Amino acid sequence: LVSTDNAYVRSSITTISSRISSYVKEVPALTNAVVQKNDLLAILDAEPYENKVNSLKASLDAAQAKIEAAQAKIEAANAKIITINSSFNNIEAKMKLVKSEINIFSSEAKAYSSELQLANQSLERINKLFDKKSVSKAKLDEANTKVQTTSHKLDSATAKTNSIKNKLEVLYTEKTKIESLKNELVADVKKSEADLRKTIADVKKSEAELKIAIVDLESTKIYAPIDGVIANRIAEPGIY
């Protein structure tokens, strides 16, 4: 209580301090000076807090660039996977067709093999009959021609079957390469997605740290919380 000639005046004291630690740079407020709410009372050294804010902003910019790069990489890899899946389906369709052709020519070769066996048996029988002069030379020639023609057809069907089988082997090799490439891309996408999730988590953490750092930087300037009079100024320039 402060005594006057005819009354008592009640006053309150508000202690003002900073939420951060730093060297005092300036103290505009003088002892016994009247101040209004939000008047600047003291300025602390802001350099370390400015550096922290700038560092966090730079880290966030770099992380954001990393996120964009990772997203672009994942998008490109997924596009490649779609293309590879299309190529894989095309190869499987080709393989199905080739297998069908192999079955056709294999069946033909099997039929010609049976036909050749019968032709050879017939030729052997006609040769014996010809030796006994029981059949004509024309009949013998016909049997020989039948053996030769069937043999050529069998060779052709066998060659086509082997050629198509070689084609199937090429398709198998191509299919294996495509599967391997797809597996590599899928693994790469999974790794990139894991890295992306980690980077996003780091960004959220850095954003939270940046908010605190900005508040700390703003706290280097101390303002009057209410109207009043500076009763006891302890802070002086150069004090920590």
Side-chain angles (χ1 to χ4, degrees), residues 150-166:
T150 305
S151 180
H152 288 318
K153 288 180 178 179
L154 175 59
D155 290 342
S156 177
T158 301
K160 286 181 179 178
T161 301
N162 291 334
S163 175
I164 294 173
K165 283 182 177 179
N166 290 336

Side-chain angles (χ1 to χ4, degrees), residues 91-105 161 163-169 171:
I91 286 179
E92 286 203 319
K94 288 180 181 179
M95 289 176 67
K96 185 177 180 180
L97 178 61
V98 168
K99 287 176 181 178
S100 175
E101 291 177 347
I102 289 174
N103 290 335
I104 291 172
F105 288 111
T161 301
S163 175
I164 294 173
K165 283 182 177 179
N166 290 336
K167 185 177 180 181
L168 183 61
E169 287 298 323
L171 289 173

Side-chain angles (χ1 to χ4, degrees), residues 116 119-120 122-124 126-127 130 137-152:
L116 180 60
N120 280 322
S122 177
L123 177 60
E124 185 179 352
I126 290 173
N127 261 321
F130 181 76
K137 179 72 166 53
K139 194 71 175 176
L140 178 62
D141 291 342
E142 182 182 343
N144 276 317
T145 300
K146 177 66 174 177
V147 169
Q148 290 174 1
T149 302
T150 305
S151 180
H152 288 318

Side-chain angles (χ1 to χ4, degrees), residues 46-58:
E47 184 177 356
Y49 299 98
E50 288 174 346
N51 290 341
K52 186 172 182 179
V53 167
N54 292 335
S55 176
L56 287 170
K57 285 182 177 179

Side-chain angles (χ1 to χ4, degrees), residues 97 195 212:
L97 178 61
D195 291 342
I212 295 173

